Amino acid sequence: MRTLLLLLFICNFTFSQTKREEKTEKPHTPIEIKVGDHYPTEEKIVTEEFIDETIPFPVVEQIPLFKNCKTIEKKDQMNCFYDEMEKHVKKHLKYPKEAKKNNIESRVSVHFEIDKNGKVTNIQARGKQTEFKSLFEEEAKRIISLLPDFIPATQRKKPVVVKYAIPINFKL
């Protein structure tokens, strides 16, 4: 089921990107007037291509990497990323005291971006509706904010911003 959802997401994303590219207009080429020319001539100027879109983690060409995953073969880097993320969460998770006293468990979905410099930004958390929802969400944000700097993701050999989401389960 998970594989099917991922496949549908990738197909949908690829299709929407293709349609978006068809609709975009070509930017105007700068015109340069040279001394002695009676009419402006178009000069071909090569501009560096910038990718300003945020790219979802599953479709980026080269995922962001923990430093420990740098030397691993590309086919194993995704598993390394997941393993390192899991280790980080387990190491830094501190169960909220009030929730622990009341035997409350929860699940928080955390969404964040890894920017072009490998830094974690734009952390957002959403938990189950409980009276301790804000405690769980704050703890999840704290855990993610402690992530180390990553080796940035790349698309067409240029660093890009990547969206990532992780569920954090608070279980007693």
Side-chain angles (χ1 to χ4, degrees), residues 49-159:
E49 180 183 350
F50 291 103
I51 303 170
D52 287 334
E53 293 182 25
T54 301
I55 300 176
F57 185 86
V59 296
V60 70
E61 288 174 6
Q62 173 59 58
I63 64 169
L65 296 173
F66 283 89
K67 304 277 190 249
N68 297 351
C69 301
K70 184 178 181 177
T71 58
I72 294 180
E73 288 184 44
K74 185 167 173 123
K75 65 180 178 121
D76 296 325
Q77 288 176 346
M78 185 85 70
N79 288 334
C80 182
F81 181 91
Y82 292 141
D83 291 344
E84 291 295 317
M85 188 65 77
E86 185 177 342
K87 285 180 199 173
H88 175 81
V89 170
K90 286 180 180 178
K91 178 181 177 183
H92 294 283
L93 187 133
K94 293 180 183 172
Y95 212 94
K97 290 179 184 177
E98 287 297 313
K100 194 172 188 176
K101 283 181 192 175
N102 292 296
N103 287 333
I104 305 293
E105 295 182 340
S106 188
R107 176 185 173 111
V108 177
S109 179
V110 186
H111 299 257
F112 59 94
E113 294 176 353
I114 301 169
D115 71 13
K116 293 178 181 183
N117 299 315
K119 300 201 181 303
V120 173
T121 62
N122 198 18
I123 303 170
Q124 299 171 346
R126 175 166 277 180
K128 282 179 21 181
Q129 282 295 358
T130 69
E131 61 184 287
F132 302 105
K133 176 184 175 185
S134 64
L135 292 175
F136 288 118
E137 289 175 347
E138 288 305 313
E139 177 58 15
K141 286 181 184 179
R142 186 190 70 79
I143 293 167
I144 298 304
S145 70
L146 295 173
L147 280 166
D149 288 351
F150 291 88
I151 297 166
T154 57
Q155 188 78 7
R156 290 183 234 134
K157 299 186 180 176
K158 302 215 184 299

